[in-house]
Amino acid sequence: MVLKDKKTKITFHAGILTIGGTVIEVAYEDSHIFFDFGTEFKPELKLEKETLGVLLENRLVPYLDHMYDPLLEGAPLSDVGNKFKDTAVFLSHCHLDHTRMINWLDPQVDMYALKETKILLESLNAKNDFLLPRAGEHDSFTRDIIGLDNLETVNVGKISVQVMRVDHDAYGACGMIITTPDFKLTYTGDLRLHGFDVEDTLAFCESNKQTDALIIEGVSVSFEDRAPIVDPVLSEQDLLNRIVKVINENPDNQVTFSCYPGNVKRIANIVSQSPRKVVLEASFANVLKQCLDMDCAYYELTPNDYGLDESLKMNIDDLFADSSDYFWQIVQDHNKLKGGGVYIHSDATPLGEFDPAYLPFIQVLEDTGVEFKRIACSGHAFPEDLNKIIDLIQPKLLIPIHTLKPELLENKYGERHLATRNETI
């Protein structure tokens, strides 16, 4: 095969045989880049503290020579020194399993992402409670990120990286086209074909046709042995239709919701399509304003300096007392909701039964007399769409990651490699 005897090396530091924590390195001579920079999510470990040493010991982050902030206790530094002249890290989107440890990156190393991802990360971490905290004293809770335009290319020594939008449930998600002097590598990030930006994913596939290697996420095939979901939500618009239906079916009942703040397009469509006036928690309203320049009524839990329109601010006590005028987002004090009302859980935290907080959360609503409705839509391509993406790209080499069952994705157009953690090919 034409891929033999290349000087390009790919190292799979993390994100193999698991969902999350993707950290992959591409190197060519004295240049190397990394994507992404997240951590694995294992709440069942119940860690008392989250230092670099503890996360390394529990394999939630990988050993990375000369990549972590030297101020972090136990930051790995080899005796032979750093052999690379040019280094950079690229982020595909804002989800924590791709970004949570970005503050632990050596401040001297450049980090890049689409501008929308930069905005989201800085907004989500405005209170220093989203990302792992920085070492030392700084003016900002979030390390410097260089924001890129769609289709912009960055040269890191002998490696070039182009970022290209894809459809995902995190606004500002991108795939990457990584080119070395002897190799073209395509990384999908997380993507799908059933959101509001399907055309972005299709354009990405077209631009990467017959790439040398395709590193593709495979979240949805991880659960192929589970019983089929009854009446599954098939698209973002399907989800919105179901939410509107619940609101219309409860004209005299309190109806509330919550969702993931990074899913800006969903929030925007809830605001525009809801038959009731939508009221967001202030940090979510700020994300909507920052990303889409869209105003929405909001309430504050604590004073903030987001600079939102004061005329749109509402009193949360009026929302707790309401039964028919508002469709509002609740993020705490669920026990204060009105009995007989409905709460819509739309990919919000806690995410599911794997999170120890999930069942107690539902119990609080049940004890309050509030009906719990989960209306969720996957941010990941359905299994049949993963196969379609592979068919559209036709890679010479397929490398499935970010999945529990990579062997379920096949490549009719060339070879397939099932990577192992810490392996270099």
Side-chain angles (χ1 to χ4, degrees):
M1 189 175 75
V2 295
L3 300 181
K4 296 189 184 301
D5 301 319
K6 302 292 186 184
K7 295 171 68 175
T8 301
K9 296 180 180 180
I10 308 170
T11 301
F12 302 90
H13 293 285
I16 307 302
L17 291 176
T18 185
I19 297 174
T22 303
V23 181
I24 294 176
E25 175 186 8
V26 179
Y28 185 91
E29 295 180 346
D30 61 354
S31 306
H32 67 163
I33 63 102
F34 290 76
F35 59 85
D36 280 300
F37 222 65
T39 65
E40 291 189 37
F41 180 61
K42 292 184 178 179
E44 66 274 12
L45 294 177
K46 298 180 180 180
L47 300 177
E48 294 184 3
K49 58 181 181 178
E50 291 186 309
T51 63
L52 177 58
V54 169
L55 267 60
L56 283 169
E57 181 182 351
N58 287 276
R59 292 171 61 85
L60 298 179
V61 302
Y63 179 99
L64 298 172
D65 186 25
H66 283 88
M67 289 297 294
Y68 291 110
D69 188 338
L71 293 180
L72 291 168
E73 183 179 350
L77 295 171
S78 68
D79 295 335
V80 297
N82 187 356
K83 64 180 180 180
F84 291 97
K85 177 183 176 184
D86 298 291
T87 304
V89 172
F90 292 80
L91 304 177
S92 62
H93 62 284
C94 68
H95 285 160
L96 286 174
D97 58 330
H98 295 257
T99 62
R100 189 164 182 250
M101 67 169 181
I102 65 171
N103 281 337
W104 286 3
L105 176 65
D106 187 332
Q108 302 303 312
V109 176
D110 287 336
M111 175 172 283
Y112 297 90
L114 278 180
K115 289 178 179 176
E116 297 90 338
T117 294
K118 170 183 167 67
I119 290 171
L120 274 171
L121 286 172
E122 291 171 349
S123 298
L124 294 170
N125 200 44
K127 297 180 181 178
N128 201 28
D129 58 0
F130 185 72
L131 304 169
L132 289 167
R134 304 176 73 176
E137 298 293 327
H138 302 276
D139 295 333
S140 170
F141 292 135
T142 305
R143 66 147 289 142
D144 292 336
I145 301 170
I146 301 170
L148 302 176
D149 293 318
N150 187 38
L151 301 180
E152 191 168 346
T153 297
V154 176
N155 293 314
V156 183
K158 301 177 181 69
I159 302 172
S160 72
V161 181
Q162 183 182 39
V163 292
M164 191 170 183
R165 294 187 201 279
V166 295
D167 180 36
H168 185 41
D169 63 347
Y171 190 62
C174 70
M176 300 173 200
I177 305 167
I178 301 152
T179 307
T180 73
D182 63 6
F183 197 73
K184 177 181 177 181
L185 171 67
T186 300
Y187 169 51
T188 64
D190 290 354
L191 79 176
R192 60 182 178 178
L193 290 172
H194 57 269
F196 292 116
D197 297 311
V198 174
E199 295 304 317
D200 288 339
T201 297
L202 294 174
F204 177 78
C205 293
E206 179 63 27
S207 294
N208 287 281
K209 198 160 189 175
Q210 298 182 339
T211 185
D212 287 329
L214 172 64
I215 295 181
I216 187 171
E217 65 109 324
V219 169
S220 64
V221 298
S222 301
F223 313 108
E224 280 287 82
D225 55 352
R226 291 185 180 178
I229 298 174
V230 177
D231 193 22
V233 176
L234 298 177
S235 68
E236 284 287 335
Q237 187 55 55
D238 183 17
L239 178 143
L240 264 294
N241 294 343
R242 295 177 188 226
I243 288 177
V244 170
K245 185 173 184 289
V246 172
I247 296 172
N248 287 333
E249 289 174 344
N250 290 273
D252 300 315
N253 292 322
Q254 187 175 70
V255 185
T256 58
F257 76 100
S258 197
C259 61
Y260 185 73
N263 199 339
V264 180
K265 286 291 185 77
R266 181 181 298 176
I267 297 171
N269 278 276
I270 287 174
V271 173
S272 63
Q273 296 186 40
S274 169
R276 294 189 189 183
K277 182 177 181 178
V278 175
V279 185
L280 300 175
E281 188 274 323
S283 66
F284 283 65
N286 178 57
V287 166
L288 193 62
K289 181 66 174 177
Q290 293 293 322
C291 291
L292 297 180
D293 195 24
M294 186 173 178
D295 293 306
C296 182
Y298 66 95
Y299 68 90
E300 295 180 346
L301 293 172
T302 57
N304 62 72
D305 56 358
Y306 294 134
L308 298 171
D309 186 342
E310 285 286 325
S311 69
L312 296 174
K313 185 164 69 172
M314 296 194 60
N315 188 308
I316 192 170
D317 292 334
D318 294 335
L319 298 174
F320 276 119
D322 174 67
S323 294
S324 58
D325 293 334
Y326 304 110
F327 179 48
W328 61 281
Q329 178 200 14
I330 182 168
V331 297
Q332 65 180 49
D333 297 326
H334 296 78
N335 61 322
K336 295 182 181 180
L337 291 172
K338 282 190 171 185
V342 180
Y343 164 79
I344 297 173
H345 196 66
S346 187
D347 295 307
T349 55
L351 289 171
E353 292 187 7
F354 61 88
D355 188 333
Y358 185 71
L359 293 179
F361 171 75
I362 294 176
Q363 188 63 51
V364 168
L365 292 167
E366 184 177 322
D367 294 342
T368 308
V370 175
E371 182 181 0
F372 174 89
K373 280 188 175 291
R374 183 174 184 178
I375 305 180
C377 179
S378 177
H380 302 275
F382 302 133
E384 60 271 22
D385 287 338
L386 286 172
N387 290 326
K388 180 178 179 179
I389 290 166
I390 295 169
D391 287 340
L392 288 171
I393 295 178
Q394 301 179 10
K396 298 172 185 174
L397 174 65
L398 179 71
I399 308 174
I401 65 163
H402 201 18
T403 178
L404 303 178
K405 298 180 179 178
E407 69 277 5
L408 294 182
L409 290 177
E410 298 180 352
N411 184 19
K412 297 180 289 187
Y413 309 96
E415 296 188 24
R416 180 187 67 179
H417 182 74
L418 302 180
T420 57
R421 184 164 176 155
N422 295 320
E423 175 188 25
T424 297
I425 62 172

